[in-house]
Amino acid sequence: RTDALHSVTFTTDKNGNKLNPPVSMLLAGVSNEVVPQAVVWSKEGQSGEWTKTVVATVATKNLEKSYVRLIFDHVDKVTGVHAVFAGTTESSLYRGVYDPAVPGKILWDKAPELTGSKRMMASAELNGDQYVTVNAAGTPNDLDGGLFKRIDGNNPKWDFIYEWETASGRIALRGLTAVKNYATNKSFLLGANETGVIEKIDPSNNYKVTEEFDFKKYFESKFGRLDGRVSLAA
């Protein structure tokens, strides 16, 4: 299946040199049942052909742990390099850059920038800062999962922000979304916790987390009891 689909218009090559004109590509993360590889297919322009790029060879033949389900792009505020990122279900986040000399024109770093214990789930960019959510194992502040912020530069790193409350057996914060309030200049993040609530995360207030909307309770009031131990929202 196709688990991630992302369009990107590269403004620089792998070295940060400006591309004139910029290069538009469509990237697809797919489940791969043949070999233990994390794969992204790339296509340039409307008439280009699909080319397989191997993000990483994973140490398992378990399909659930060997595919890419998250793709996003980000321009490093320090280096100026426009890169794409692929998050795997084995909890590794790889960086790729535009390189016309390699098949598929995406050159992937050999080592991941971020690792955890569960899936890479969602991403959002707010005020030039890149965020990503990694499924948590349910132990607060053990740094294996939660919300992370990228610190750009020649030696980038990902800072741990917080880990959310978990529901039994489900540990994701899905649908991470950046919200910009142009009237007040107050910006924040929204995420759908699998306990059944939308959480608001405020970077301007030390990442204070508040409940924005209890969608599970709301739909139970409309439809009656919801089956299952969790409620998912994208």
Side-chain angles (χ1 to χ4, degrees):
R1 69 184 187 186
T2 301
D3 300 278
L5 191 65
H6 183 73
S7 62
V8 56
T9 300
F10 283 103
T11 56
T12 75
D13 65 10
K14 62 181 180 180
N15 298 314
N17 299 313
K18 295 292 183 181
L19 295 173
N20 187 18
V23 178
S24 295
M25 301 185 73
L26 187 60
L27 307 177
V30 298
S31 304
N32 189 346
E33 299 183 14
V34 180
V35 290
Q37 293 177 330
V39 170
V40 166
W41 289 76
S42 69
K43 182 173 83 73
E44 181 178 345
Q46 295 183 346
S47 60
E49 299 207 355
W50 290 100
T51 302
K52 184 175 80 170
T53 73
V54 178
V55 178
T57 300
V58 297
T60 176
K61 292 186 178 180
N62 183 345
L63 176 62
E64 174 59 23
K65 294 182 179 296
S66 62
Y67 65 92
V68 170
R69 65 171 295 141
L70 173 66
I71 305 174
F72 60 92
D73 67 286
H74 172 68
V75 178
D76 191 296
K77 293 187 295 183
V78 177
T79 67
V81 175
H82 194 168
V84 292
F85 294 82
T88 72
T89 51
E90 68 158 358
S91 199
S92 294
L93 184 67
Y94 291 89
R95 171 183 171 270
V97 289
Y98 179 76
D99 183 352
V102 301
K105 300 185 178 181
I106 305 292
L107 179 65
W108 297 101
D109 289 346
K110 295 186 181 302
E113 275 198 4
L114 177 66
T115 60
S117 63
K118 303 289 182 179
R119 293 173 172 174
M120 296 284 161
M121 182 57 67
S123 66
E125 184 173 300
L126 183 63
N127 296 329
D129 293 321
Q130 184 66 54
Y131 296 87
V132 69
T133 65
V134 184
N135 285 18
T139 304
N141 300 319
D142 59 3
L143 306 184
D144 73 325
L147 177 68
F148 291 83
K149 173 186 175 182
R150 190 177 194 262
I151 307 302
D152 291 343
N154 291 311
N155 297 296
K157 65 176 183 175
W158 290 83
D159 275 359
F160 172 80
I161 303 299
Y162 90 107
E163 185 173 326
W164 46 86
E165 179 187 350
T166 61
S168 175
R170 300 306 291 260
I171 45 188
L173 188 71
R174 296 172 179 260
L176 193 67
T177 303
V179 179
K180 179 80 171 179
N181 187 328
Y182 293 96
T184 64
N185 203 31
K186 290 285 188 179
S187 304
F188 54 89
L189 297 165
L190 293 177
N193 192 315
E194 292 186 351
T195 59
V197 300
I198 302 295
E199 293 184 348
K200 177 182 177 181
I201 306 126
D202 186 356
S204 67
N205 189 16
N206 199 30
Y207 293 97
K208 180 181 179 181
V209 179
T210 56
E211 182 180 300
E212 179 76 7
F213 177 51
D214 189 324
F215 63 86
K216 183 177 182 180
K217 184 182 297 183
Y218 173 81
F219 286 113
E220 284 180 336
S221 72
K222 298 296 182 183
F223 304 135
R225 178 180 177 273
L226 301 179
D227 290 331
R229 57 189 174 179
V230 297
S231 297
L232 305 184

